[in-house]
Amino acid sequence: MSDDNRPVLPAEFDNLDVGITLHDSETGAVLDVNEELEKLYGYSRAELRSMTVGEYTAPSTRFTQEKALDRIRAAAAGESQVFEWHVERSNGELLWVSVHLSETVLDGVSCVLAEVYDITDFKARERRLRLLSRVLRHNLRNEMTVLRGYAELLTEAIEEETLEEQAETIFEIATEVGELSDSIRQIEEIATPDATKRSPTNLRDVVVSVTGTVPDEYPETDLSVETSEDVWVVADRSIRYAITHAIENAIEHNDRESPTVSVTIDDDPEAGRGVVRIADNGPEIPNVEIDVLDENTDPNEVYHGSGVGLWVMKWCVDSLGGSLEFESNSPRGNVVSISLPRVDP
């Protein structure tokens, strides 16, 4: 029993390779944690004992203090709980954990014991497999079906004026298939542990580098860049992929003759985040394209996005412990925000 009459974990628990949290069975308060849990969440034992579950939970309507408390009370009533939870570490990095709650008694006090396992790598591999499955089962198959159809029409239209238009369509589809291959290659690179070497990265340098090729590749685009401030984050080359896809999507899916795209960098030291915002004046991104990024969405023949650009962005940002958000621009268009944990260089 601790000095404040709260039960504590036996010292042997600090030798375990799994994170352990001891909760009050009624209030859900953190009574004690082991050393592995401190390393996992990035907070000290003293800090965690003064925090609620909601304070180290990633911002989400799906993961709340109320839901955590319901789980704890159910476990205290004898209903063992096993579930996944999204955690925000002390440095702002997001990670996935698997939690097993069970009732226990320590120092004569009824408590709830939480076994916490880091499953971030597992979730990342799972998401990659789902993405590859989606590409193969939907995007690639659908594109090739259209390609075969136009090839048949081309054979019949050798003497007709539509030959040039159909040939252009075949070329465009072949280009899209090639881009799918490039996107998958990028994801494979990011997912390879040896290829992931994170270090302090200046967002301004990345944005300047990425946007430098836009005038040559998209001369019709009105591009503005605000990068006067140095903002440092922990990243690897995947941040370049994410920003590149965001800018290309803003241009290529724009229905204006001269697309307008602005890229800005914000420093949010209070939240411990560096943010890159890409705004455009094109048509709003369909909800189906954004909703399908949710790992809980079950894609089918009818409900799925048409491309993988947003998936690559999502994968890259997730792999860096950041967040990806979509908003409507005023009076028209979209704002894509890429937020990453900030670091002092």
Side-chain angles (χ1 to χ4, degrees), residues 173-238:
I173 293 177
T175 300
E176 291 179 6
V177 172
E179 291 175 350
L180 288 177
S181 177
D182 290 340
S183 295
I184 294 175
R185 176 186 55 78
Q186 292 173 359
I187 294 171
E188 290 289 347
E189 288 181 5
I190 298 166
T192 303
D194 292 341
T196 304
K197 298 180 180 178
R198 300 174 187 171
S199 61
T201 301
N202 191 338
L203 285 177
R204 181 179 62 83
D205 292 343
V206 178
V207 168
V208 169
S209 175
V210 169
T211 56
T213 60
V214 171
D216 294 332
E217 297 179 8
Y218 304 97
E220 74 286 355
T221 299
D222 179 11
L223 175 69
S224 63
V225 182
E226 296 182 19
T227 62
S228 58
E229 188 175 8
D230 288 337
V231 179
W232 293 80
V233 298
V234 177
D236 53 32
R237 63 172 170 265
S238 59

Short mmCIF file of all heavy atoms in Angstrom, two decimals, residues 173-238:
data_model
loop_
_atom_site.label_atom_id
_atom_site.label_comp_id
_atom_site.label_asym_id
_atom_site.label_seq_id
_atom_site.Cartn_x
_atom_site.Cartn_y
_atom_site.Cartn_z
N ILE A 173 -5.42 5.69 -69.20
CA ILE A 173 -5.62 4.59 -68.25
C ILE A 173 -4.30 3.89 -67.96
O ILE A 173 -4.00 3.53 -66.82
CB ILE A 173 -6.65 3.59 -68.80
CG1 ILE A 173 -8.03 4.26 -68.86
CG2 ILE A 173 -6.71 2.34 -67.93
CD1 ILE A 173 -9.11 3.39 -69.46
N ALA A 174 -3.49 3.70 -69.00
CA ALA A 174 -2.20 3.07 -68.78
C ALA A 174 -1.34 3.92 -67.84
O ALA A 174 -0.61 3.39 -66.99
CB ALA A 174 -1.48 2.88 -70.12
N THR A 175 -1.45 5.24 -67.96
CA THR A 175 -0.72 6.14 -67.08
C THR A 175 -1.20 6.00 -65.64
O THR A 175 -0.40 5.96 -64.69
CB THR A 175 -0.91 7.60 -67.53
OG1 THR A 175 -0.41 7.75 -68.87
CG2 THR A 175 -0.15 8.56 -66.60
N GLU A 176 -2.51 5.90 -65.46
CA GLU A 176 -3.08 5.74 -64.12
C GLU A 176 -2.61 4.44 -63.47
O GLU A 176 -2.31 4.40 -62.27
CB GLU A 176 -4.60 5.79 -64.17
CG GLU A 176 -5.16 7.16 -64.53
CD GLU A 176 -6.67 7.16 -64.60
OE1 GLU A 176 -7.28 6.13 -64.27
OE2 GLU A 176 -7.24 8.19 -64.99
N VAL A 177 -2.56 3.38 -64.26
CA VAL A 177 -2.09 2.10 -63.73
C VAL A 177 -0.62 2.23 -63.29
O VAL A 177 -0.22 1.70 -62.26
CB VAL A 177 -2.24 0.97 -64.77
CG1 VAL A 177 -1.58 -0.30 -64.29
CG2 VAL A 177 -3.72 0.71 -65.04
N GLY A 178 0.16 2.96 -64.08
CA GLY A 178 1.55 3.19 -63.70
C GLY A 178 1.67 3.97 -62.41
O GLY A 178 2.53 3.69 -61.58
N GLU A 179 0.78 4.94 -62.20
CA GLU A 179 0.79 5.72 -60.97
C GLU A 179 0.40 4.86 -59.78
O GLU A 179 0.92 5.05 -58.67
CB GLU A 179 -0.16 6.92 -61.10
CG GLU A 179 0.35 7.97 -62.09
CD GLU A 179 -0.64 9.09 -62.30
OE1 GLU A 179 -1.79 8.95 -61.82
OE2 GLU A 179 -0.28 10.10 -62.92
N LEU A 180 -0.51 3.92 -59.98
CA LEU A 180 -0.86 2.99 -58.91
C LEU A 180 0.38 2.21 -58.47
O LEU A 180 0.63 2.00 -57.29
CB LEU A 180 -1.95 2.02 -59.37
CG LEU A 180 -3.37 2.57 -59.53
CD1 LEU A 180 -4.28 1.48 -60.06
CD2 LEU A 180 -3.89 3.10 -58.21
N SER A 181 1.16 1.78 -59.45
CA SER A 181 2.37 1.02 -59.15
C SER A 181 3.35 1.88 -58.36
O SER A 181 3.98 1.41 -57.41
CB SER A 181 3.01 0.55 -60.45
OG SER A 181 4.22 -0.12 -60.21
N ASP A 182 3.49 3.16 -58.74
CA ASP A 182 4.40 4.05 -58.01
C ASP A 182 3.95 4.24 -56.57
O ASP A 182 4.77 4.27 -55.65
CB ASP A 182 4.46 5.42 -58.72
CG ASP A 182 5.18 5.34 -60.05
OD1 ASP A 182 5.94 4.38 -60.25
OD2 ASP A 182 4.99 6.25 -60.88
N SER A 183 2.62 4.37 -56.37
CA SER A 183 2.10 4.57 -55.02
C SER A 183 2.38 3.36 -54.15
O SER A 183 2.76 3.49 -52.99
CB SER A 183 0.58 4.84 -55.09
OG SER A 183 0.31 6.05 -55.76
N ILE A 184 2.18 2.18 -54.71
CA ILE A 184 2.44 0.96 -53.95
C ILE A 184 3.93 0.86 -53.61
O ILE A 184 4.30 0.45 -52.50
CB ILE A 184 1.98 -0.28 -54.75
CG1 ILE A 184 0.45 -0.26 -54.89
CG2 ILE A 184 2.42 -1.56 -54.06
CD1 ILE A 184 -0.08 -1.37 -55.77
N ARG A 185 4.79 1.26 -54.54
CA ARG A 185 6.23 1.23 -54.27
C ARG A 185 6.58 2.15 -53.10
O ARG A 185 7.39 1.80 -52.23
CB ARG A 185 7.00 1.66 -55.52
CG ARG A 185 8.51 1.75 -55.29
CD ARG A 185 9.21 2.32 -56.51
NE ARG A 185 8.67 3.60 -56.92
CZ ARG A 185 8.95 4.75 -56.31
NH1 ARG A 185 9.77 4.77 -55.27
NH2 ARG A 185 8.45 5.88 -56.75
N GLN A 186 5.96 3.32 -53.07
CA GLN A 186 6.21 4.25 -51.97
C GLN A 186 5.80 3.65 -50.64
O GLN A 186 6.51 3.76 -49.63
CB GLN A 186 5.47 5.56 -52.22
CG GLN A 186 6.00 6.36 -53.40
CD GLN A 186 5.15 7.56 -53.72
OE1 GLN A 186 4.13 7.80 -53.07
NE2 GLN A 186 5.54 8.31 -54.73
N ILE A 187 4.64 3.02 -50.63
CA ILE A 187 4.14 2.40 -49.40
C ILE A 187 5.08 1.29 -48.96
O ILE A 187 5.37 1.13 -47.77
CB ILE A 187 2.71 1.86 -49.61
CG1 ILE A 187 1.76 3.03 -49.85
CG2 ILE A 187 2.25 1.05 -48.40
CD1 ILE A 187 0.38 2.61 -50.26
N GLU A 188 5.56 0.50 -49.89
CA GLU A 188 6.48 -0.58 -49.56
C GLU A 188 7.76 -0.01 -48.94
O GLU A 188 8.30 -0.57 -47.98
CB GLU A 188 6.82 -1.39 -50.81
CG GLU A 188 5.67 -2.22 -51.36
CD GLU A 188 5.35 -3.40 -50.46
OE1 GLU A 188 6.15 -3.71 -49.56
OE2 GLU A 188 4.28 -4.00 -50.64
N GLU A 189 8.25 1.10 -49.46
CA GLU A 189 9.45 1.72 -48.92
C GLU A 189 9.23 2.19 -47.49
O GLU A 189 10.08 1.99 -46.61
CB GLU A 189 9.87 2.91 -49.80
CG GLU A 189 10.43 2.51 -51.15
CD GLU A 189 10.85 3.71 -51.97
OE1 GLU A 189 10.77 4.84 -51.42
OE2 GLU A 189 11.25 3.55 -53.12
N ILE A 190 8.10 2.83 -47.26
CA ILE A 190 7.80 3.35 -45.93
C ILE A 190 7.65 2.23 -44.93
O ILE A 190 8.02 2.34 -43.76
CB ILE A 190 6.50 4.19 -45.98
CG1 ILE A 190 6.70 5.38 -46.92
CG2 ILE A 190 6.11 4.68 -44.59
CD1 ILE A 190 5.42 6.05 -47.30
N ALA A 191 7.07 1.12 -45.38
CA ALA A 191 6.79 0.00 -44.47
C ALA A 191 8.02 -0.83 -44.16
O ALA A 191 7.99 -1.67 -43.27
CB ALA A 191 5.71 -0.89 -45.08
N THR A 192 9.12 -0.62 -44.88
CA THR A 192 10.34 -1.38 -44.63
C THR A 192 11.10 -0.76 -43.46
O THR A 192 11.54 0.39 -43.56
CB THR A 192 11.25 -1.38 -45.88
OG1 THR A 192 10.51 -1.91 -46.98
CG2 THR A 192 12.48 -2.21 -45.64
N PRO A 193 11.27 -1.47 -42.35
CA PRO A 193 11.92 -0.89 -41.17
C PRO A 193 13.28 -0.27 -41.45
O PRO A 193 13.58 0.80 -40.96
CB PRO A 193 12.02 -2.09 -40.21
CG PRO A 193 10.92 -3.01 -40.64
CD PRO A 193 10.82 -2.85 -42.12
N ASP A 194 14.10 -0.94 -42.27
CA ASP A 194 15.44 -0.43 -42.54
C ASP A 194 15.41 0.88 -43.32
O ASP A 194 16.35 1.66 -43.28
CB ASP A 194 16.26 -1.46 -43.32
CG ASP A 194 16.58 -2.68 -42.48
OD1 ASP A 194 16.49 -2.57 -41.24
OD2 ASP A 194 16.89 -3.73 -43.06
N ALA A 195 14.30 1.11 -44.03
CA ALA A 195 14.20 2.31 -44.85
C ALA A 195 13.65 3.49 -44.07
O ALA A 195 13.64 4.62 -44.56
CB ALA A 195 13.32 2.04 -46.07
N THR A 196 13.19 3.25 -42.86
CA THR A 196 12.57 4.32 -42.07
C THR A 196 13.58 4.89 -41.10
O THR A 196 13.83 4.31 -40.05
CB THR A 196 11.34 3.78 -41.31
OG1 THR A 196 10.45 3.19 -42.25
CG2 THR A 196 10.63 4.88 -40.59
N LYS A 197 14.16 5.99 -41.45
CA LYS A 197 15.16 6.65 -40.60
C LYS A 197 14.66 8.06 -40.29
O LYS A 197 14.85 8.98 -41.06
CB LYS A 197 16.51 6.69 -41.32
CG LYS A 197 17.08 5.30 -41.61
CD LYS A 197 18.42 5.39 -42.31
CE LYS A 197 18.98 3.99 -42.58
NZ LYS A 197 20.27 4.05 -43.29
N ARG A 198 13.99 8.20 -39.16
CA ARG A 198 13.41 9.48 -38.79
C ARG A 198 14.44 10.38 -38.13
O ARG A 198 15.31 9.90 -37.39
CB ARG A 198 12.22 9.27 -37.86
CG ARG A 198 11.11 8.44 -38.48
CD ARG A 198 10.03 8.14 -37.48
NE ARG A 198 9.05 7.22 -38.04
CZ ARG A 198 8.08 6.65 -37.35
NH1 ARG A 198 7.96 6.90 -36.07
NH2 ARG A 198 7.23 5.83 -37.94
N SER A 199 14.31 11.65 -38.40
CA SER A 199 15.22 12.64 -37.81
C SER A 199 14.53 13.99 -37.84
O SER A 199 13.51 14.17 -38.53
CB SER A 199 16.53 12.69 -38.62
OG SER A 199 16.25 13.08 -39.96
N PRO A 200 15.03 14.98 -37.09
CA PRO A 200 14.45 16.32 -37.16
C PRO A 200 14.44 16.83 -38.60
O PRO A 200 15.47 16.83 -39.28
CB PRO A 200 15.38 17.14 -36.26
CG PRO A 200 15.92 16.15 -35.29
CD PRO A 200 16.11 14.89 -36.08
N THR A 201 13.28 17.24 -39.06
CA THR A 201 13.09 17.64 -40.46
C THR A 201 12.42 19.01 -40.52
O THR A 201 11.42 19.24 -39.85
CB THR A 201 12.23 16.62 -41.21
OG1 THR A 201 12.86 15.32 -41.15
CG2 THR A 201 12.05 17.01 -42.67
N ASN A 202 12.97 19.89 -41.31
CA ASN A 202 12.42 21.23 -41.47
C ASN A 202 11.30 21.19 -42.52
O ASN A 202 11.56 20.92 -43.70
CB ASN A 202 13.52 22.21 -41.90
CG ASN A 202 13.07 23.66 -41.82
OD1 ASN A 202 11.87 23.96 -41.83
ND2 ASN A 202 14.03 24.56 -41.75
N LEU A 203 10.07 21.43 -42.10
CA LEU A 203 8.95 21.38 -43.03
C LEU A 203 9.11 22.40 -44.17
O LEU A 203 8.69 22.15 -45.30
CB LEU A 203 7.63 21.64 -42.30
CG LEU A 203 7.09 20.50 -41.44
CD1 LEU A 203 5.81 20.93 -40.72
CD2 LEU A 203 6.81 19.25 -42.28
N ARG A 204 9.71 23.52 -43.85
CA ARG A 204 9.91 24.54 -44.89
C ARG A 204 10.78 24.01 -46.01
O ARG A 204 10.46 24.20 -47.20
CB ARG A 204 10.57 25.78 -44.28
CG ARG A 204 10.79 26.90 -45.30
CD ARG A 204 11.42 28.11 -44.63
NE ARG A 204 12.72 27.78 -44.07
CZ ARG A 204 13.85 27.77 -44.79
NH1 ARG A 204 13.81 28.06 -46.08
NH2 ARG A 204 14.99 27.46 -44.22
N ASP A 205 11.85 23.30 -45.67
CA ASP A 205 12.73 22.76 -46.71
C ASP A 205 12.00 21.73 -47.57
O ASP A 205 12.18 21.69 -48.79
CB ASP A 205 13.96 22.10 -46.06
CG ASP A 205 14.87 23.11 -45.39
OD1 ASP A 205 14.74 24.32 -45.69
OD2 ASP A 205 15.70 22.69 -44.56
N VAL A 206 11.17 20.88 -46.93
CA VAL A 206 10.44 19.87 -47.69
C VAL A 206 9.45 20.52 -48.64
O VAL A 206 9.35 20.16 -49.82
CB VAL A 206 9.70 18.91 -46.73
CG1 VAL A 206 8.89 17.89 -47.53
CG2 VAL A 206 10.69 18.19 -45.83
N VAL A 207 8.70 21.51 -48.15
CA VAL A 207 7.69 22.17 -48.99
C VAL A 207 8.34 22.90 -50.16
O VAL A 207 7.87 22.82 -51.30
CB VAL A 207 6.84 23.14 -48.14
CG1 VAL A 207 6.00 24.04 -49.04
CG2 VAL A 207 5.95 22.38 -47.18
N VAL A 208 9.43 23.61 -49.89
CA VAL A 208 10.14 24.31 -50.96
C VAL A 208 10.62 23.34 -52.03
O VAL A 208 10.51 23.59 -53.23
CB VAL A 208 11.32 25.12 -50.39
CG1 VAL A 208 12.22 25.63 -51.52
CG2 VAL A 208 10.82 26.28 -49.55
N SER A 209 11.14 22.20 -51.59
CA SER A 209 11.64 21.21 -52.54
C SER A 209 10.51 20.62 -53.38
O SER A 209 10.63 20.50 -54.60
CB SER A 209 12.37 20.09 -51.78
OG SER A 209 12.76 19.05 -52.65
N VAL A 210 9.40 20.26 -52.71
CA VAL A 210 8.28 19.63 -53.43
C VAL A 210 7.64 20.60 -54.40
O VAL A 210 7.32 20.24 -55.55
CB VAL A 210 7.24 19.09 -52.42
CG1 VAL A 210 5.96 18.67 -53.16
CG2 VAL A 210 7.80 17.92 -51.65
N THR A 211 7.41 21.83 -53.97
CA THR A 211 6.70 22.80 -54.82
C THR A 211 7.59 23.36 -55.92
O THR A 211 7.09 23.96 -56.87
CB THR A 211 6.16 23.96 -53.98
OG1 THR A 211 7.24 24.58 -53.25
CG2 THR A 211 5.12 23.46 -52.99
N GLY A 212 8.90 23.15 -55.82
CA GLY A 212 9.79 23.70 -56.82
C GLY A 212 9.58 23.16 -58.22
O GLY A 212 9.88 23.84 -59.21
N THR A 213 9.04 21.93 -58.31
CA THR A 213 8.83 21.33 -59.63
C THR A 213 7.44 21.60 -60.20
O THR A 213 7.17 21.26 -61.35
CB THR A 213 9.03 19.80 -59.55
OG1 THR A 213 8.08 19.25 -58.62
CG2 THR A 213 10.44 19.47 -59.07
N VAL A 214 6.55 22.19 -59.39
CA VAL A 214 5.17 22.40 -59.85
C VAL A 214 5.07 23.29 -61.07
O VAL A 214 4.33 22.98 -62.02
CB VAL A 214 4.30 22.95 -58.69
CG1 VAL A 214 2.92 23.38 -59.20
CG2 VAL A 214 4.15 21.90 -57.60
N PRO A 215 5.77 24.44 -61.14
CA PRO A 215 5.64 25.30 -62.33
C PRO A 215 5.98 24.60 -63.64
O PRO A 215 5.38 24.89 -64.67
CB PRO A 215 6.64 26.44 -62.03
CG PRO A 215 6.71 26.49 -60.54
CD PRO A 215 6.64 25.05 -60.10
N ASP A 216 6.95 23.69 -63.61
CA ASP A 216 7.32 22.97 -64.84
C ASP A 216 6.31 21.88 -65.18
O ASP A 216 5.96 21.70 -66.36
CB ASP A 216 8.71 22.36 -64.68
CG ASP A 216 9.80 23.42 -64.57
OD1 ASP A 216 9.60 24.52 -65.13
OD2 ASP A 216 10.83 23.14 -63.94
N GLU A 217 5.84 21.15 -64.16
CA GLU A 217 4.92 20.04 -64.40
C GLU A 217 3.48 20.51 -64.61
O GLU A 217 2.72 19.88 -65.34
CB GLU A 217 4.99 19.06 -63.24
CG GLU A 217 6.36 18.41 -63.06
CD GLU A 217 6.39 17.47 -61.88
OE1 GLU A 217 5.33 17.20 -61.28
OE2 GLU A 217 7.49 16.98 -61.53
N TYR A 218 3.10 21.60 -63.94
CA TYR A 218 1.72 22.10 -64.05
C TYR A 218 1.78 23.62 -64.28
O TYR A 218 1.46 24.41 -63.39
CB TYR A 218 0.94 21.79 -62.77
CG TYR A 218 0.92 20.33 -62.39
CD1 TYR A 218 1.82 19.83 -61.44
CD2 TYR A 218 0.00 19.45 -62.96
CE1 TYR A 218 1.81 18.49 -61.08
CE2 TYR A 218 -0.02 18.11 -62.60
CZ TYR A 218 0.89 17.63 -61.66
OH TYR A 218 0.87 16.31 -61.31
N PRO A 219 2.18 24.04 -65.48
CA PRO A 219 2.37 25.48 -65.75
C PRO A 219 1.08 26.30 -65.63
O PRO A 219 1.14 27.51 -65.44
CB PRO A 219 2.92 25.50 -67.18
CG PRO A 219 2.47 24.20 -67.78
CD PRO A 219 2.50 23.21 -66.66
N GLU A 220 -0.07 25.65 -65.75
CA GLU A 220 -1.33 26.39 -65.68
C GLU A 220 -1.77 26.67 -64.25
O GLU A 220 -2.74 27.38 -64.01
CB GLU A 220 -2.43 25.58 -66.40
CG GLU A 220 -2.94 24.35 -65.66
CD GLU A 220 -1.99 23.16 -65.67
OE1 GLU A 220 -0.94 23.26 -66.34
OE2 GLU A 220 -2.30 22.14 -65.02
N THR A 221 -1.09 26.11 -63.27
CA THR A 221 -1.49 26.23 -61.88
C THR A 221 -0.98 27.52 -61.24
O THR A 221 0.17 27.91 -61.42
CB THR A 221 -0.95 25.03 -61.06
OG1 THR A 221 -1.48 23.82 -61.58
CG2 THR A 221 -1.35 25.17 -59.60
N ASP A 222 -1.89 28.18 -60.51
CA ASP A 222 -1.54 29.37 -59.72
C ASP A 222 -1.17 28.89 -58.32
O ASP A 222 -2.04 28.64 -57.49
CB ASP A 222 -2.73 30.34 -59.68
CG ASP A 222 -2.42 31.58 -58.86
OD1 ASP A 222 -1.24 31.78 -58.50
OD2 ASP A 222 -3.37 32.34 -58.55
N LEU A 223 0.13 28.74 -58.07
CA LEU A 223 0.61 28.18 -56.81
C LEU A 223 1.20 29.27 -55.93
O LEU A 223 2.03 30.07 -56.38
CB LEU A 223 1.66 27.10 -57.08
CG LEU A 223 2.35 26.49 -55.86
CD1 LEU A 223 1.37 25.64 -55.06
CD2 LEU A 223 3.56 25.67 -56.28
N SER A 224 0.77 29.29 -54.67
CA SER A 224 1.37 30.21 -53.70
C SER A 224 1.89 29.40 -52.52
O SER A 224 1.27 28.43 -52.10
CB SER A 224 0.35 31.25 -53.22
OG SER A 224 -0.73 30.63 -52.54
N VAL A 225 3.04 29.80 -52.01
CA VAL A 225 3.67 29.07 -50.91
C VAL A 225 4.07 30.06 -49.82
O VAL A 225 4.73 31.06 -50.09
CB VAL A 225 4.92 28.31 -51.40
CG1 VAL A 225 5.55 27.53 -50.25
CG2 VAL A 225 4.56 27.38 -52.55
N GLU A 226 3.64 29.78 -48.58
CA GLU A 226 4.02 30.59 -47.43
C GLU A 226 4.86 29.73 -46.50
O GLU A 226 4.34 28.90 -45.76
CB GLU A 226 2.78 31.11 -46.70
CG GLU A 226 1.93 32.05 -47.54
CD GLU A 226 0.73 32.57 -46.76
OE1 GLU A 226 0.76 32.49 -45.52
OE2 GLU A 226 -0.22 33.03 -47.41
N THR A 227 6.17 29.90 -46.57
CA THR A 227 7.09 29.05 -45.80
C THR A 227 8.16 29.88 -45.12
O THR A 227 9.31 29.49 -45.07
CB THR A 227 7.75 28.01 -46.72
OG1 THR A 227 8.51 28.71 -47.73
CG2 THR A 227 6.72 27.14 -47.40
N SER A 228 7.79 31.04 -44.62
CA SER A 228 8.79 31.95 -44.06
C SER A 228 9.36 31.44 -42.74
O SER A 228 10.48 31.79 -42.36
CB SER A 228 8.17 33.33 -43.83
OG SER A 228 7.03 33.23 -42.98
N GLU A 229 8.61 30.58 -42.05
CA GLU A 229 9.04 30.15 -40.72
C GLU A 229 9.58 28.72 -40.74
O GLU A 229 9.04 27.84 -41.43
CB GLU A 229 7.86 30.22 -39.75
CG GLU A 229 8.22 29.97 -38.31
CD GLU A 229 7.04 30.19 -37.38
OE1 GLU A 229 5.92 30.39 -37.90
OE2 GLU A 229 7.23 30.17 -36.16
N ASP A 230 10.66 28.49 -39.99
CA ASP A 230 11.19 27.14 -39.86
C ASP A 230 10.37 26.39 -38.82
O ASP A 230 10.22 26.83 -37.68
CB ASP A 230 12.65 27.17 -39.39
CG ASP A 230 13.59 27.66 -40.49
OD1 ASP A 230 13.21 27.55 -41.66
OD2 ASP A 230 14.67 28.15 -40.16
N VAL A 231 9.82 25.25 -39.22
CA VAL A 231 9.06 24.40 -38.31
C VAL A 231 9.64 23.00 -38.40
O VAL A 231 9.65 22.38 -39.48
CB VAL A 231 7.55 24.36 -38.67
CG1 VAL A 231 6.80 23.45 -37.70
CG2 VAL A 231 6.97 25.76 -38.64
N TRP A 232 10.12 22.49 -37.28
CA TRP A 232 10.81 21.20 -37.27
C TRP A 232 9.92 20.11 -36.70
O TRP A 232 9.24 20.29 -35.70
CB TRP A 232 12.09 21.29 -36.43
CG TRP A 232 13.12 22.18 -37.06
CD1 TRP A 232 13.18 23.53 -37.01
CD2 TRP A 232 14.24 21.76 -37.84
NE1 TRP A 232 14.27 24.00 -37.71
CE2 TRP A 232 14.94 22.92 -38.23
CE3 TRP A 232 14.73 20.52 -38.24
CZ2 TRP A 232 16.09 22.88 -39.00
CZ3 TRP A 232 15.89 20.48 -39.01
CH2 TRP A 232 16.55 21.64 -39.39
N VAL A 233 9.92 18.96 -37.37
CA VAL A 233 9.15 17.79 -36.93
C VAL A 233 10.04 16.56 -37.05
O VAL A 233 11.08 16.59 -37.72
CB VAL A 233 7.87 17.59 -37.77
CG1 VAL A 233 6.93 18.77 -37.63
CG2 VAL A 233 8.22 17.35 -39.24
N VAL A 234 9.62 15.47 -36.41
CA VAL A 234 10.34 14.20 -36.56
C VAL A 234 9.73 13.48 -37.76
O VAL A 234 8.54 13.17 -37.76
CB VAL A 234 10.21 13.33 -35.30
CG1 VAL A 234 10.88 11.99 -35.52
CG2 VAL A 234 10.82 14.04 -34.11
N ALA A 235 10.53 13.24 -38.79
CA ALA A 235 9.98 12.65 -40.02
C ALA A 235 11.05 11.90 -40.79
O ALA A 235 12.23 11.93 -40.45
CB ALA A 235 9.35 13.74 -40.88
N ASP A 236 10.60 11.24 -41.85
CA ASP A 236 11.49 10.62 -42.83
C ASP A 236 10.96 11.00 -44.20
O ASP A 236 10.17 11.92 -44.34
CB ASP A 236 11.57 9.10 -42.63
CG ASP A 236 10.20 8.45 -42.60
OD1 ASP A 236 9.29 8.96 -43.30
OD2 ASP A 236 10.01 7.44 -41.90
N ARG A 237 11.38 10.29 -45.24
CA ARG A 237 10.99 10.70 -46.59
C ARG A 237 9.49 10.57 -46.86
O ARG A 237 8.99 11.11 -47.84
CB ARG A 237 11.77 9.89 -47.62
CG ARG A 237 11.52 8.40 -47.60
CD ARG A 237 12.19 7.74 -48.81
NE ARG A 237 12.18 6.28 -48.70
CZ ARG A 237 13.16 5.56 -48.21
NH1 ARG A 237 14.23 6.16 -47.73
NH2 ARG A 237 13.09 4.25 -48.16
N SER A 238 8.77 9.86 -45.99
CA SER A 238 7.34 9.71 -46.22
C SER A 238 6.60 11.04 -46.15
O SER A 238 5.55 11.19 -46.77
CB SER A 238 6.74 8.71 -45.22
OG SER A 238 6.94 9.14 -43.90
#
